[in-house]
């Protein structure tokens, strides 16, 4: 498979607004072990009032692989992607994708989007010891992925407590998620854990004061860790709004898609 260079746009799929001109464009960045299709269930409703761009990070889904996937290496590619579109832009990042989105907002020279939506995400691990511990955990997970099948990994991943809320989905919805994750390549998963996992991802908390976009923080009430992170992030930034979804875990966009759509619509209308 061809490897993409750092000067090329990222892989994306575009879903234009239906019979509406001059509408905002929402760019979505997915989480770990997934692809842009993670947000497909939202597209039919979103395109009634905006255009949608679903980005797949290198190696995930249909996106070609890349030698480097660190936030520094992908920043130029995020910017090249944004440059392709004209009009009002809003960036939405979920979990790992949220950290990439925040990094792009803080360090990108071409960051002409006016709102940033972080979904179950963070600024990174603040203390060095915490990052070292997380890196050890991620390296153990890399070994697990190497030794087991991709289906073993998917079963393990979706049994994590933060994804317990997905059990409320219909059997067919849950199978779609499992199937999509099972189509990811093991070597790509390992690459992201080593190059962009929380154990190596830079802590961005000290850079927040330079954030120019309005920030919307979306977390699930039952996702205790990220709910607390969201509250602290909201306290630090006056130009932010905190959206806590009741009886919801980490995957808020899957567990409560209607409320998530309401939040996105309010971002478009108010910001």
């Amino acid at each position: 498979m061809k490897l993409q260079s750092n000067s090329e746009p990222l892989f994306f799929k575009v879903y234009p607004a239906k019979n509406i001109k001059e509408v905002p464009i929402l760019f979505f960045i997915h989480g770990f072990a997934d692809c842009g299709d993670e947000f497909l269930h939202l597209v039919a409703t979103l395109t009634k009032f905006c255009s949608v761009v679903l980005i797949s990070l290198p190696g995930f889904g249909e996106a070609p692989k890349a030698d480097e996937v660190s936030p520094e290496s992908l920043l130029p590619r995020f910017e090249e992607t944004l440059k392709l579109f004209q009009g009002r832009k809003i960036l939405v990042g979920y979990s790992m994708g949220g950290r990439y989105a925040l990094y792009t907002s803080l360090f990108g020279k071409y960051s002409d989007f006016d709102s940033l939506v972080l979904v179950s995400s963070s600024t990174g691990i603040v203390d060095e010891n915490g990052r070292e511990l997380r890196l050890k955990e991620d390296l153990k997970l890399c070994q697990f992925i190497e030794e087991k099948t991709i289906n073993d990994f998917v079963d393990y991943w979706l049994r994590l407590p933060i994804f317990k809320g997905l059990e409320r989905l219909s059997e067919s919805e849950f199978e779609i998620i499992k199937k999509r994750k099972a189509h990811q390549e093991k070597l790509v998963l390992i690459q992201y854990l080593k190059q962009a996992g929380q154990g190596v991802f830079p802590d961005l908390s000290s850079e927040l004061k330079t954030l120019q976009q309005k920030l919307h923080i979306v977390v699930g009430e039952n996702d205790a860790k990220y709910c607390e992170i969201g509250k602290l992030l909201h306290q630090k930034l006056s130009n932010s709004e905190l959206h806590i979804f009741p009886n919801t875990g980490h995957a808020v966009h899957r567990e409560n898609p209607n409320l998530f759509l309401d939040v996105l619509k309010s971002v478009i209308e108010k910001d």
Side-chain angles (χ1 to χ4, degrees):
M1 183 179 290
K2 178 187 175 185
L3 296 176
Q4 286 186 309
S5 74
N6 285 345
S7 61
E8 295 178 351
L10 294 165
F11 180 90
F12 59 84
K13 297 178 181 178
V14 182
Y15 300 88
K18 300 172 182 175
N19 303 317
I20 314 173
K21 295 181 179 179
E22 297 183 1
V23 294
I25 308 168
L26 266 62
F27 296 80
F28 288 84
I29 310 174
H30 61 87
F32 181 65
D34 219 310
C35 64
D37 289 354
E38 178 170 17
F39 304 100
L40 268 179
H41 63 295
L42 306 172
V43 167
T45 301
L46 285 172
T47 50
K48 294 177 182 179
F49 53 86
C50 69
S51 292
V52 176
V53 178
L54 303 184
I55 295 173
S56 289
L57 296 169
F60 287 118
E62 300 170 59
K65 298 176 185 176
D67 290 323
E68 296 289 336
V69 296
S70 67
E72 298 91 340
S73 65
L74 291 191
L75 177 59
R77 299 187 59 187
F78 275 113
E79 295 197 284
E80 288 300 316
T81 306
L82 292 169
K83 287 179 184 178
L84 296 174
F85 298 87
Q86 300 297 320
R88 184 181 169 207
K89 303 167 189 176
I90 297 169
L91 193 56
V92 184
Y94 164 63
S95 199
M96 179 183 75
R99 295 194 296 276
Y100 277 110
L102 182 58
Y103 190 93
T104 300
S105 304
L106 291 170
F107 300 108
K109 296 178 182 178
Y110 183 86
S111 54
D112 69 333
F113 48 93
D114 57 15
S115 298
L116 174 63
V117 183
L118 294 186
V119 185
S120 301
S121 195
S122 72
T123 60
I125 299 174
V126 176
D127 64 289
E128 188 174 342
N129 287 337
R131 285 196 298 276
E132 289 179 358
L133 288 173
R134 180 54 187 261
L135 179 58
K136 289 180 180 178
E137 293 176 4
D138 286 347
L139 292 177
K140 287 182 181 178
L141 182 55
C142 287
Q143 184 176 356
F144 174 86
I145 295 170
E146 286 179 350
E147 296 173 351
K148 303 292 184 178
T149 68
I150 188 65
N151 288 323
D152 289 333
F153 163 75
V154 173
D155 288 340
Y156 159 79
W157 191 251
L158 292 177
R159 286 196 191 107
L160 292 174
I162 60 173
F163 297 122
K164 187 172 178 58
L166 293 176
E167 295 175 357
R168 296 197 296 269
L169 298 181
S170 67
E171 184 176 347
S172 61
E173 288 177 309
F174 190 71
E175 283 303 313
I176 288 173
I177 295 172
K178 284 187 66 175
K179 185 177 180 180
R180 197 174 58 242
K181 290 185 179 295
H183 273 85
Q184 310 309 322
E185 291 190 33
K186 295 201 306 178
L187 289 177
V188 172
L189 300 180
I190 291 169
Q191 179 186 29
Y192 275 85
L193 287 170
K194 291 183 176 181
Q195 296 184 17
Q198 292 198 60
V200 295
F201 208 97
D203 167 41
L204 303 176
S205 58
S206 62
E207 305 290 339
L208 287 175
K209 59 183 179 294
T210 67
L211 186 66
Q212 298 180 4
Q213 291 81 11
K214 174 70 175 288
L215 176 63
H216 290 266
I217 305 156
V218 180
V219 292
E221 177 185 43
N222 297 340
D223 187 8
K225 174 183 173 181
Y226 284 91
C227 194
E228 184 61 27
I229 288 172
K231 291 176 182 177
L232 292 173
L233 188 54
H234 178 51
Q235 291 172 7
K236 290 180 180 180
L237 289 174
S238 58
N239 192 27
S240 68
E241 287 190 27
L242 177 63
H243 311 266
I244 301 178
F245 286 23
N247 194 30
T248 307
H250 194 68
V252 296
H253 58 300
R254 291 295 328 191
E255 295 179 45
N256 198 335
N258 291 331
L259 183 55
F260 187 59
L261 287 164
D262 287 344
V263 168
L264 294 178
K265 192 169 185 180
S266 71
V267 172
I268 290 173
E269 293 175 346
K270 295 179 182 179
D271 286 8

